[in-house]
Amino acid sequence: MSPPPPLSRRTICLAALGLCLGGMTSRAAVEPAVDDAAPTVADQTPADFLDTVASRAKARWRLLFRPPPPTPPTDRGRAALILGSLLADSFLIWQAGDSQQFRNNNQEVLSYCRMMGLGEKLMPRLMAQGKMAESNEWKDLRHEIVDGHQELLRLLREQKDDDLAVLIDLGLWLRLLEISSSVVVETGSVEARPLCIGSPTILQDIRDDFNRLSMAKHDEALIKRIGTAIEEISSLWRGTQAEPTEEQVTKTNDKLKEIVLALVEKQSS
């Protein structure tokens, strides 16, 4: 059996990041998203990461919405990357509290899950999430999208599709960092600049995820392009001890936008 993904360092890092930046706060829009008690290390999720971004910078979430992706491609690897980015959009839209946009995005998620052969297993959960959004049950919905992400990865591993599970997480975190770096660029907040990469540990975990892909995947053109982008971003932040510069922030955001856009671009034959 393949080992589980290296979540521990990433989750520990998110907890530390929240403390270093002054603590995490709940989403201001809609209603408080978490219980009164501070989340434990084991509870850290992409939703918590965006809470951290919201606590340190004025984020205009709706401006970060994007058009729906193309019809799911036949390339399951690229489809997995796009699906991961759509899951990141679920967390983004949750922050914005936009029920219609959430339901629209969930339809795209379902289309990509069907392409993975998991539509029948995940459709009840995705339909329930759409109803929660429609009813403004945001607190419960938060837990549902977190659990839904984990269920999707579990189902893929049970099918021995470990590469696809890794690619979904890569797509998710690349899109999340594109979102966070865009917020930092827009606000110009110096203290929020480290959020461009979440933290050095998060960036390293993304590199580790990439390296866990099979050698066959590493030979594919899009995967090579993603690997190059990850290394270029890592180089930008390697050895940073003083405050990150505006140039680091801008270049990181540009590189993340470029690679996330590449996921949905028409691939040459």
Side-chain angles (χ1 to χ4, degrees), residues 49-160:
F49 175 61
L50 290 187
D51 279 347
T52 304
V53 174
S55 75
R56 305 311 303 167
K58 185 175 177 58
R60 297 192 290 174
W61 301 117
R62 284 177 172 80
L63 295 183
L64 298 169
F65 292 174
R66 57 180 182 162
T71 302
T74 56
D75 179 347
R76 283 163 59 83
R78 189 161 76 95
L81 287 161
I82 297 172
L83 177 53
S85 73
L86 286 170
L87 295 176
D89 286 336
S90 295
F91 292 106
L92 164 66
I93 298 164
W94 184 92
Q95 289 284 343
D98 189 321
S99 59
Q100 184 59 56
Q101 186 73 9
F102 186 90
R103 285 153 56 205
N104 293 344
N105 188 70
N106 245 28
Q107 286 298 315
E108 300 298 337
V109 171
L110 179 56
S111 294
Y112 276 76
C113 286
R114 283 174 173 151
M115 193 273 175
M116 298 284 167
L118 299 174
E120 183 176 343
K121 292 180 179 179
L122 291 173
M123 184 167 64
R125 173 163 239 154
L126 294 171
M127 295 291 286
Q129 290 176 5
K131 290 179 180 178
M132 286 180 185
E134 188 175 10
S135 302
N136 293 321
E137 299 174 35
W138 296 106
K139 184 175 181 179
D140 290 339
L141 179 57
R142 176 190 175 107
H143 294 301
E144 263 297 311
I145 57 178
V146 168
D147 291 347
H149 167 219
Q150 293 304 313
E151 182 184 12
L152 172 59
L153 299 183
R154 177 181 61 79
L155 290 171
L156 286 171
R157 293 189 192 105
E158 286 179 355
Q159 294 181 172
K160 309 301 182 185

Side-chain angles (χ1 to χ4, degrees), residues 19-41:
L19 292 172
C20 291
L21 292 176
M24 289 187 282
T25 61
S26 301
R27 176 170 57 95
V30 189
E31 63 174 289
V34 293
D35 298 331
D36 293 337
T40 64
V41 167

